[in-house]
Amino acid sequence: MILYEYPFNERIRTYLRLEHLFRRLGVLIAREHPLDHHFALTTIFEVMDVAARADLKSDVMKDLEKQRLLLDGYRSNPSISLDALDSVVHQLDACFAALNAQAGKAGQSLTENEWLMAIRSRVGIPGGTCGFDLPAYAAWQHRPPAERQQALTAWASTLAPLAEAVFLLLQLLRDSGVPQKMVAERGQLQQTLPQGRSFQLLRLRIDPALEVIPEISGNRLMVSVRLMREQPGEHATACTQDTSFELTLCA
């Protein structure tokens, strides 16, 4: 099954982008080729660009505190495992403390590294990191893989508090939803959202054998899914067959 996710607000959209970048970074650092480590470094710069938003850190900390208060409200529920509840609350507290202890924005300490900032200033230029432009960077790429991995891990560690907080918040959000089997009649589905609930994320799972791609749109009142057939280099066409998939709304 292929999973597609659709955020209902800008804050969750930013969290999903960060999660995407952090997962890519973890894969690239673990590899050994200099090209993989080049793109690991550019991914660090991308995270810094996303994290440069002034209110991101405060938004994440507010969400951590909100989740903690929400979970504390379940302590009187006899069907809730207190050990499991305490474990999640401990993770929330640890993420909050780590972010609170970090001065400035995520990766801000890296901006004091002139060598890194010289590379960052040129990665947006096509071919801007060639050896004749950045000979010191070319030399670094010829160092042993373990040495490069150690440096990348140290630089990425400055982003770890943000990464752990975003992973935890998205996990809790995803766990709040209940999957439902849906059918898009003639390839289209429109569903009115229940009043009184503020949904933040839509998750859609569909069988890749169906060879359709969902176009999702939505707001606080309604969600719409339109299934399309699209092949690289070809014009997209609307699916006109009844198609089933799994839909999850997360609040």
Side-chain angles (χ1 to χ4, degrees):
M1 302 291 278
I2 300 179
L3 171 65
Y4 298 91
E5 293 188 313
Y6 179 83
F8 284 104
N9 57 63
E10 186 62 31
R11 181 170 46 83
I12 300 302
R13 186 174 289 110
T14 299
Y15 290 176
L16 291 174
R17 284 179 176 145
L18 286 170
E19 180 190 51
H20 171 77
L21 291 170
F22 284 132
R23 291 197 186 285
R24 184 210 295 172
L25 181 59
V27 171
L28 291 172
I29 290 179
R31 297 175 180 175
E32 296 187 349
H33 197 279
L35 190 59
D36 290 312
H37 289 173
H38 166 75
F39 285 108
L41 199 52
T42 61
T43 301
I44 289 176
F45 298 148
E46 286 186 64
V47 172
M48 292 172 65
D49 290 339
V50 177
R53 205 185 77 191
D55 54 351
L56 175 64
K57 180 178 175 180
S58 62
D59 279 351
V60 173
M61 293 176 68
K62 286 176 184 176
D63 280 347
L64 291 170
E65 184 62 22
K66 180 181 178 181
Q67 286 292 337
R68 190 189 193 287
L69 292 174
L70 181 65
L71 292 176
D72 280 338
Y74 289 115
R75 291 193 178 278
S76 58
N77 191 327
S79 63
I80 298 295
S81 167
L82 288 180
D83 287 341
L85 186 63
D86 286 339
S87 175
V88 178
V89 169
H90 176 72
Q91 293 179 63
L92 288 167
D93 287 341
C95 287
F96 186 94
L99 269 180
N100 195 40
Q102 193 173 47
K105 302 169 186 175
Q108 184 167 314
S109 61
L110 298 182
T111 61
E112 300 171 4
N113 187 319
E114 293 184 6
W115 185 82
L116 283 177
M117 292 306 99
I119 299 169
R120 185 185 185 186
S121 68
R122 299 202 58 83
V123 292
I125 303 172
T129 56
C130 284
F132 61 83
D133 283 314
L134 296 170
Y137 182 47
W140 179 80
Q141 289 177 304
H142 281 81
R143 291 183 180 178
E147 187 175 337
R148 283 186 267 114
Q149 286 173 328
Q150 184 179 10
L152 286 166
T153 301
W155 297 327
S157 68
T158 66
L159 308 170
L162 177 62
E164 292 169 7
V166 167
F167 285 148
L168 180 57
L169 288 172
L170 287 176
Q171 177 189 336
L172 293 173
L173 177 59
R174 289 167 176 143
D175 289 346
S176 71
V178 179
Q180 295 180 317
K181 293 293 184 182
M182 309 295 290
V183 176
E185 296 182 2
R186 296 184 60 81
Q188 295 192 50
L189 171 74
Q190 279 194 340
Q191 180 175 327
T192 302
L193 298 179
Q195 294 185 356
R197 295 195 68 186
S198 179
F199 292 102
Q200 301 188 72
L201 180 69
L202 178 150
R203 312 186 81 210
L204 188 153
R205 293 183 187 273
I206 195 163
D207 188 345
L210 297 172
E211 296 185 340
V212 294
I213 300 169
E215 291 184 350
I216 306 169
S217 60
N219 53 44
R220 61 185 181 86
L221 300 175
M222 179 178 290
V223 65
S224 174
V225 178
R226 182 186 182 201
L227 300 178
M228 304 293 292
R229 298 192 184 279
E230 184 174 354
Q231 296 294 334
E234 297 181 11
H235 182 69
T237 58
C239 172
T240 57
Q241 297 176 336
D242 292 354
T243 309
S244 62
F245 53 82
E246 181 185 277
L247 185 71
T248 306
L249 292 170
C250 307

